[in-house]
Amino acid sequence: MTKLAANLTMLFNEQPFMDRFEAAARAGFRGVEFLFPYAFHADQIADKLNAFQLDLVLHNLPAGNWEAGERGIACHPDRVNEFREGIDEAIRYAKVLGTKQLNCLVGKVPQGVSAEQARETLVENLRYAADMLKEHKLRLLIEPINHFDIPGFFLTRTQQAVDLIRDTGSSNIYVQYDIYHMQRMEGEIANTIKANRDIIRHIQLADNPGRFEPGTGEINYRYLFKMLDEIGYDGWIGCEYKPRAGTVEGLGWRAAHGV
């Protein structure tokens, strides 16, 4: 059965962040996700989750200076200590908010750093993060992202994520599979999900082109939802898209796609 989570970073942003929890619940969502909780006290968010009976299914590790264009620091050799401090902070929030899995945005390769240096740093950081999270019964996820939207991002393909997980030697790293990003990078969405079913523990969606809601572009979401049910995927699917004409106005796609 399809379980949809509202991404509160991109949905319901017609209103302040702390009001989006109620809006999501009123729209019928039982789960939510967002990029980062760190601008708010954990108890403030927990109160909203409890008040509206919502599960927080995912948020990211701290990812550097987002406003300045950073998209993660896990592949930055000179910021290992900062990355590790961020893991501690993320765990503290996850324990209060009931989050079971945390996503690591690996970042763009810094100027002057070779791909080999970046990868070596990333493997060590992922291994460390996975071990730390495992102590608290939390999963670590990594997410391939298309290089059109984020030029220079280190992790851009599914097989690259599989290879990174293998090289860490960790049993506590999984893939967050974003359908929109991978449609842009490699296509073959259904076959790729089937082939990597065991390591995909979270899925996100948006249509392409435009990153709008399902039904506005080229991706056959009715087929994909049916396929996910058939292969027994029982995780959450995060709705991480840009509403084309307002969040509530655009939610009709759920009924149109049988979810």
Side-chain angles (χ1 to χ4, degrees):
M1 179 179 177
T2 304
K3 300 189 299 185
L4 299 175
N7 186 293
L8 299 186
T9 302
M10 298 185 73
L11 301 188
F12 303 104
N13 57 20
E14 299 90 346
Q15 51 198 296
F17 179 76
M18 294 302 285
D19 293 335
R20 297 175 197 172
F21 296 87
E22 180 177 7
R26 289 187 181 278
F29 290 99
R30 299 271 59 85
V32 295
E33 62 177 32
F34 41 71
L35 284 177
F36 309 108
Y38 311 112
F40 300 90
H41 195 284
D43 287 340
Q44 289 179 282
I45 299 175
D47 288 345
K48 292 291 184 180
L49 295 170
N50 293 332
F52 300 107
Q53 298 182 318
L54 293 167
D55 290 327
L56 178 57
V57 304
L58 184 81
H59 65 78
N60 295 317
L61 301 179
N65 189 337
W66 194 263
E67 289 71 26
E70 292 184 335
R71 293 297 181 263
I73 59 172
C75 66
H76 292 214
D78 61 340
R79 297 173 74 176
V80 171
N81 288 339
E82 181 184 348
F83 176 78
R84 293 187 176 191
E85 290 169 1
I87 294 168
D88 294 337
E89 184 177 22
I91 290 171
R92 288 195 297 271
Y93 271 81
K95 300 297 280 186
V96 175
L97 302 178
T99 322
K100 303 300 184 195
Q101 47 193 13
L102 300 172
N103 184 47
C104 175
L105 295 169
V106 305
K108 303 182 232 181
V109 179
Q111 252 187 337
V113 173
S114 69
E116 292 76 16
Q117 284 178 295
R119 192 180 194 281
E120 182 179 341
T121 300
L122 178 56
V123 167
E124 290 300 320
N125 276 335
L126 292 177
R127 184 182 294 126
Y128 176 87
D131 288 346
M132 290 293 293
L133 266 59
K134 190 173 185 178
E135 290 181 16
H136 297 273
K137 299 181 180 179
L138 302 169
R139 290 193 195 106
L140 178 66
L141 307 182
I142 55 175
E143 178 186 11
I145 290 178
N146 81 76
H147 62 206
F148 304 103
D149 287 9
I150 306 182
F153 199 77
F154 182 83
L155 176 56
T156 60
R157 294 183 178 274
T158 307
Q159 187 59 49
Q160 187 185 3
V162 172
D163 293 343
L164 280 168
I165 293 170
R166 178 201 64 211
D167 290 350
T168 65
S170 173
S171 61
N172 191 41
I173 309 177
Y174 302 89
V175 171
Q176 174 176 305
Y177 188 87
D178 188 301
I179 292 171
Y180 162 76
H181 286 304
M182 291 302 93
Q183 173 70 1
R184 297 206 69 185
M185 287 304 300
E186 56 193 28
E188 281 291 301
I189 300 298
N191 285 339
T192 302
I193 291 174
K194 289 176 184 177
N196 296 284
R197 169 69 187 87
D198 290 345
I199 62 168
I200 293 174
R201 294 301 174 93
H202 189 70
I203 291 174
Q204 291 179 324
L205 62 75
D207 217 328
N208 185 61
R211 204 174 186 178
F212 302 127
E213 52 263 60
T216 60
E218 65 188 357
I219 302 174
N220 187 344
Y221 270 105
R222 180 172 285 277
Y223 173 83
L224 288 178
F225 289 136
K226 182 173 181 289
M227 179 272 296
L228 289 170
D229 281 342
E230 288 173 349
I231 67 172
Y233 176 76
D234 59 358
W236 290 90
I237 301 175
C239 300
E240 192 186 44
Y241 62 82
K242 298 184 291 186
R244 192 165 58 172
T247 301
V248 174
E249 294 81 355
L251 289 175
W253 68 267
R254 296 179 301 181
H257 288 78
V259 294

